[in-house]
Amino acid sequence: MSNARTARLTRRGLLAAGGALGLGAVLNACGDDGAKDGGADTKGSAKTGPWSFKDDRGTTVKLDEAPRNIVAFTGVAAALYDYGIEVKGVFGPTTTKDGKADVQAGDMDVSKVTVLGNVWDQFNVEKYAALAPDVLISTMFDDAGTLWYVPEASKDKIAKLAPSVGISVFDRQLTGPLQRMWELAESLGADMTAAKVTEAKKRFEAASERLRKAAKAKPEIKVLVGSASPELFYVSGSNLSIDLEYFKALGVNFVEPTEAAKKATGGWFESLSWENVDKHKADVIMMDDRSSAIQPADITEATWKQLPAVKAGQVIARSTEPILSYDKCVAPVEALAEAIEKARKVS
């Protein structure tokens, strides 16, 4: 990795590569500007009359009617899909190299949406305009109102084509953004009394209580949160990320990088060489499940294989950018609860 390329990376770029955890993958994120077209029409909102929604920037978007041509960051689109709201276009990790749905696409049929950009800094403005968008929706990983995966270079052009809504996923617990996405979906016409929706919320609450009990029963179990790139291993702190802040509030004992180590990344994570991957002692390791990160089964570094948690088989996936529907947030909570329940003290 050249110093010149590294110097140009912003905090947004760091997050895109490892979502508060990685850097190396961003250097591979500069693909071509091609975008995949889908042929599906957006499902219209059942609501009629004027529509308004106040987002987490304090901005209120007002339209004559509920938006039908919705364009959203992939993870947002996946959450809305779980509530019965379908979007017309997406941007962000949507398909893998083999054409299958990316983990961040959830249950969406990715062949039925127009993909405006599949990697960081890729957003086809011309195709966006052709969709005649009513609104653009994304998450925000800072307190400055920066819309996730909307390129800095083209954000002004994009902003002129439709109003935007931002849902904050910065420095708060998971339940906050979950509730905000619920409110957004409801405003768009979703039936929040549907059995599938209400039952998913109950399952999430039950999973959370299970995790609370597991953490209380085994406070000695230390959990490390990591992400792998070819050059470096990233260890996340429990602050800033919505899932980790929530898990910590439930009592999970996280390994914390030193403040000095996190300073260079705005407080998100610590970068380690593979030679020093054993710096922190842990009993359970949660690993970034996104396609931008190397998955545990594909890590060949000998130092990784020698970690006590790895040798003990106590490694689980982490949904680094959770899909903000209750349905999709059940599994990550249950997985961590089960991991702690079954974990042996190996650190």
Side-chain angles (χ1 to χ4, degrees):
M1 163 187 344
S2 73
N3 291 334
R5 295 184 77 186
T6 303
R8 289 197 297 270
L9 292 172
T10 63
R11 182 170 68 174
R12 296 180 75 215
L14 290 169
L15 291 172
L21 285 177
L23 168 62
V26 76
L27 299 181
N28 296 319
C30 302
D32 58 38
D33 289 330
K36 179 180 177 181
D37 278 319
D41 290 331
T42 302
K43 179 185 287 186
S45 167
K47 292 208 169 185
T48 59
W51 178 84
S52 68
F53 186 82
K54 186 176 182 179
D55 75 0
D56 291 338
R57 299 170 298 184
T59 300
T60 299
V61 177
K62 297 181 179 180
L63 299 173
D64 292 338
E65 60 181 5
R68 294 176 180 273
N69 292 351
I70 301 170
V71 173
F73 171 67
T74 304
V76 170
L80 292 176
Y81 183 88
D82 285 349
Y83 292 129
I85 302 297
E86 296 183 27
V87 307
K88 196 165 189 179
V90 297
F91 55 95
T94 307
T95 58
T96 58
K97 292 180 180 179
D98 58 6
K100 296 180 180 179
D102 188 274
V103 65
Q104 294 190 63
D107 292 334
M108 282 194 303
D109 183 344
V110 296
S111 70
K112 294 183 178 180
V113 292
T114 297
V115 182
L116 302 174
N118 200 55
V119 298
W120 185 253
D121 256 353
Q122 183 187 83
F123 191 113
N124 192 312
V125 181
E126 290 73 23
K127 286 189 176 183
Y128 178 56
L131 292 176
D134 294 320
V135 68
L136 178 147
I137 310 172
S138 190
T139 49
M140 301 180 297
F141 277 89
D142 59 29
D143 55 9
T146 306
L147 295 173
W148 192 231
Y149 266 80
V150 173
E152 186 72 20
S154 55
K155 67 176 184 179
D156 292 339
K157 291 181 180 179
I158 293 168
K160 290 177 181 178
L161 295 171
S164 62
V165 167
I167 300 297
S168 180
V169 290
F170 175 70
D171 196 15
R172 60 200 64 203
Q173 293 182 28
L174 176 61
T175 45
L178 272 173
Q179 179 60 30
R180 293 294 283 144
M181 193 62 70
W182 174 289
E183 293 166 0
L184 176 60
E186 186 174 35
S187 80
L188 293 169
D191 180 5
M192 310 314 283
T193 64
K196 178 182 178 181
V197 173
T198 57
E199 289 171 6
K201 189 172 184 180
K202 290 178 182 178
R203 287 189 292 113
F204 174 80
E205 291 167 349
S208 297
E209 183 58 27
R210 178 183 176 184
L211 178 55
R212 186 194 302 277
K213 290 179 179 178
K216 184 177 181 179
K218 289 188 172 182
E220 73 281 4
I221 297 299
K222 299 174 68 175
V223 179
L224 182 145
V225 182
S227 183
S229 77
E231 299 87 4
L232 296 169
F233 183 81
Y234 308 95
V235 178
S236 178
S238 61
N239 291 329
L240 304 183
S241 297
I242 57 174
D243 60 330
L244 304 186
E245 287 204 10
Y246 182 57
F247 298 157
K248 181 170 64 175
L250 293 176
V252 175
N253 180 12
F254 283 110
V255 171
E256 299 286 356
T258 64
E259 290 304 314
K262 292 190 295 180
K263 187 175 181 181
T265 62
W268 288 97
F269 57 88
E270 174 182 11
S271 304
L272 296 175
S273 66
W274 283 102
E275 290 77 10
N276 295 315
V277 73
D278 60 352
K279 175 181 177 180
H280 301 289
K281 307 304 179 185
D283 304 296
V284 172
I285 301 176
M286 300 174 67
M287 290 294 290
D288 189 348
D289 71 350
R290 293 169 307 166
S291 55
S292 59
I294 300 175
Q295 297 306 298
D298 299 320
I299 299 175
T300 59
E301 300 289 342
T303 48
W304 162 261
K305 294 179 178 180
Q306 291 303 310
L307 293 177
V310 176
K311 294 173 71 174
Q314 296 176 175
V315 178
I316 63 171
R318 175 204 175 195
S319 297
T320 306
E321 291 185 49
I323 293 173
L324 296 173
S325 71
Y326 285 101
D327 179 71
K328 291 299 179 292
C329 286
V330 172
V333 181
E334 287 185 335
L336 181 54
E338 182 177 8
I340 293 174
E341 289 167 352
K342 293 181 177 180
R344 294 185 293 109
K345 183 67 180 175
V346 294
S347 64

